Amino acid sequence: MKIKTLVMLICLLSFGVADAREMKAKKTAPPSNYGTTNQYYSQLISGGTPDVAELNLFANMLPKGGDIHHHYSGAIYAETYLDWVGEKNYCIYRESDGQLKAQKYRIEIKPAAELAEGAVKICISADAVRRDNAFYRELLMRWSDKDFSNHYHEQPAPDQQFFDTFAFFGPVSNAAFQDGLQSLKDRAKAENVQYIETMLKKPPDIANPHLAKLINDLKTEATEDDTEAVLSECADFMDGDAAAKAKIDDYVKSLEEVAAGIYDAAFKLRFQAYVSRNNAPAKVFSGLYAAFAAAKSSNLIVGVNIVGPENGHVAMRDYSLHMQMFRFLNQRFPGVKLSLHAGELVLGMVPPEGLKSHVREAVEIAMADRIGHGVDYCA
Ligand SMILES: [Zn+2]
C-alpha cells in the first residue's frame, strides 16, 4: 500500500470514528450555548490567576442589549474632553486662586482678553497640559475616577471625587454632541451593545418669579392638597405660556438634530430628560414640567430622570416633595415613563432615617417604572 493511500485511509477511519462519536453525542445531549459559555467562562476564572486578557475579550463579545443607565457627559473620556478644550481654544486652571475665582482643573471658556492678567498666567492650553506630564496625569485623575483607588494620594471622598468630575468637564461637555455620540456609538458597537438610552442635556428652565416663590415657600409640613394646589397653578401657567412651549420645542428639536444619523438599523439611540435634585424646588419643578412635556412630544425621549448627589442637603430635604412632583406630572402627562435615581445611599452617608424610604417613595409615590442604584437600606 502506498504511503499516500495509507494516510488517506487513516484519515477516513478517524473521520468515521469522530463522526460516529459526534452522532452518538448528538443523540444523547448536545451541549447548549449556555453550557458551552458557562464552561468556557469557568475555565477563564479558574485557578489562582484568572486570565484577565481573555476575560476582557469574552466580556466584550457578550451580547449586552441596551445600556439603560447612561450619562452622556460621564461616558466621554477625559482625553476627548481635553481635545475639545484645544479645539475651542479654552484653557484650564493649573492652580486655584480665590481672588481670581480660579479653581484648579476647571475649564475657563472666556477668551484670554476678558480675563485678569493673573488668571491668564495660571490658565493653560490643552497643548500646555499635555506637555506637562505630571499635571496631565493629575488632570485625568481629577476629571475621572482613573487611578482613584490603586495608589495613595490626598483625595476627596469617593462620591465627592465622582460628582466633582462633572463640574470639571461640564463647560466643554456640550461642545460637540454629535462627535461625542458618534464615539459612544462606535464604542458601544465594539462592545456588542445595541441600544443606549442616555441623559444628554437638561430641559429648559421656565421662570416665573411669582410662581417660583409659591413653590419655594412650600414647607415640609405642607399637606398633599396644599402642594398639589401650588403645583397645579404652576403647571396651568406653563400649559398656556407660549414662551415655555417655544423653549420646550427648541429642546426637543436640538435632541432630534444631534441624534440624526446616529441611530441606524443595528444601533438605537434614545434619550432621558432629567433635572438636578439639588436645585430650589421651583427650578426642579419647572425642569420636570419641561422634561415631561418634551417626553410627551417626542418618541426619541423615552423617560424622565432626576440626578445629582442624593446625599446633598437639598436633595435629602426635598426628596418627598420631588416624588410628589413626579406623581403630579404623571397625571398631567399620562404615559411618560420614569427612570429614577433612587436609593443611591449607604449607611454612614446620611443619618439612618434617610435610608428608610427613598426607594419605596420612588416606586409607590412617584410611580417609577425603573430605578437606578436602589442600594440604600436601613432596618
Ligand atoms: Zn446615574
Side-chain angles (χ1 to χ4, degrees):
M1 191 180 288
K2 287 182 183 172
I3 291 184
K4 195 174 171 186
T5 315
L6 180 65
V7 171
M8 278 180 68
L9 188 61
I10 292 170
C11 284
L12 281 170
L13 281 171
S14 340
F15 223 64
V17 171
D19 210 28
R21 277 194 198 132
E22 200 179 311
M23 283 172 68
K24 196 176 169 191
K26 271 185 186 163
K27 272 182 195 168
T28 50
S32 63
N33 289 340
Y34 176 83
T36 309
T37 310
N38 194 16
Q39 192 185 11
Y40 177 56
Y41 175 69
S42 302
Q43 174 202 322
L44 291 179
I45 60 168
S46 66
T49 314
D51 188 336
V52 176
E54 206 164 337
L55 266 172
N56 267 328
L57 290 171
F58 173 76
N60 256 358
M61 288 168 68
L62 285 175
K64 310 200 177 52
D67 188 343
I68 57 175
H69 187 142
H70 191 278
H71 296 262
Y72 167 85
S73 66
I76 303 284
Y77 271 80
E79 288 88 338
T80 305
Y81 282 138
L82 191 57
D83 289 344
W84 294 355
V85 166
E87 284 164 22
K88 292 275 176 188
N89 284 321
Y90 296 156
C91 63
I92 296 162
Y93 288 108
R94 60 166 304 140
E95 55 190 84
S96 297
D97 186 313
Q99 277 193 325
L100 295 168
K101 293 186 180 158
Q103 184 196 7
K104 194 175 180 184
Y105 312 115
R106 187 171 67 77
I107 298 167
E108 179 57 78
I109 62 172
K110 283 186 195 160
E114 290 178 28
L115 294 177
E117 197 183 331
V120 174
K121 281 185 185 156
I122 57 171
C123 200
I124 62 175
S125 70
D127 274 345
V129 171
R130 293 190 196 96
R131 283 195 298 270
D132 181 344
N133 190 46
F135 184 65
Y136 174 66
R137 291 189 58 159
E138 222 180 297
L139 183 86
L140 296 186
M141 284 193 289
R142 292 307 301 268
W143 280 13
S144 73
D145 277 346
K146 178 178 161 60
D147 292 341
F148 182 78
S149 56
N150 65 6
H151 69 288
Y152 173 78
H153 54 109
E154 281 190 22
Q155 58 193 27
D159 60 318
Q160 188 66 50
Q161 159 87 16
F162 170 75
F163 282 111
D164 279 351
T165 62
F166 290 89
F168 285 133
F169 51 65
V172 81
S173 66
N174 60 0
F177 280 140
Q178 218 144 16
D179 286 354
L181 287 171
Q182 186 61 49
S183 74
L184 294 179
K185 172 187 175 178
D186 293 344
R187 198 169 299 131
K189 290 182 92 166
E191 294 171 354
N192 212 357
V193 173
Q194 291 79 29
Y195 173 68
I196 286 182
E197 192 175 302
T198 194
M199 287 164 261
L200 184 79
K201 60 189 277 196
K202 287 179 188 159
D205 287 328
I206 302 160
N208 177 298
H210 163 67
L211 297 172
K213 188 168 181 335
L214 281 182
I215 300 189
N216 289 338
D217 285 351
L218 274 171
K219 298 281 179 275
T220 44
E221 62 269 19
T223 65
E224 266 183 45
D225 288 346
D226 291 342
T227 304
E228 190 156 331
V230 169
L231 299 185
S232 279
E233 198 176 336
C234 294
D236 288 346
F237 162 76
M238 292 173 199
D239 281 346
D241 184 34
K245 188 176 179 322
K247 280 184 176 181
I248 294 166
D249 288 347
D250 282 351
Y251 172 69
V252 171
K253 205 168 144 216
S254 71
L255 290 183
E256 286 171 350
E257 278 170 6
V258 294
I262 299 291
Y263 52 89
D264 55 35
F267 179 81
K268 202 168 175 178
L269 174 72
R270 292 292 183 267
F271 300 109
Q272 291 180 11
Y274 65 98
V275 298
S276 168
R277 63 191 346 148
N278 280 292
N279 286 326
K283 195 171 163 85
V284 172
F285 184 71
S286 78
L288 281 179
Y289 176 93
F292 271 79
K296 191 77 184 170
S297 78
S298 171
N299 290 335
L300 277 183
I301 306 169
V302 293
V304 177
N305 211 327
I306 187 163
V307 307
E310 195 173 323
N311 57 324
H313 167 69
V314 173
M316 291 300 290
R317 182 196 69 194
D318 293 347
Y319 192 91
S320 296
L321 175 61
H322 295 159
M323 298 303 110
Q324 284 182 61
M325 290 177 181
F326 277 110
R327 187 185 189 88
F328 172 84
L329 290 166
N330 253 329
Q331 288 158 1
R332 282 256 168 167
F333 298 94
V336 171
K337 300 269 193 269
L338 301 186
S339 173
L340 306 185
H341 289 74
E344 191 177 357
L345 300 168
V346 290
L347 190 62
M349 286 178 86
V350 296
E353 299 74 31
L355 299 173
K356 285 186 168 175
S357 60
H358 284 196
V359 170
R360 181 165 49 76
E361 286 186 46
V363 174
E364 293 181 2
I365 296 177
M367 311 292 281
D369 299 275
R370 297 199 306 241
I371 62 162
H373 300 278
V375 294
D376 69 342
Y377 172 73
C378 185

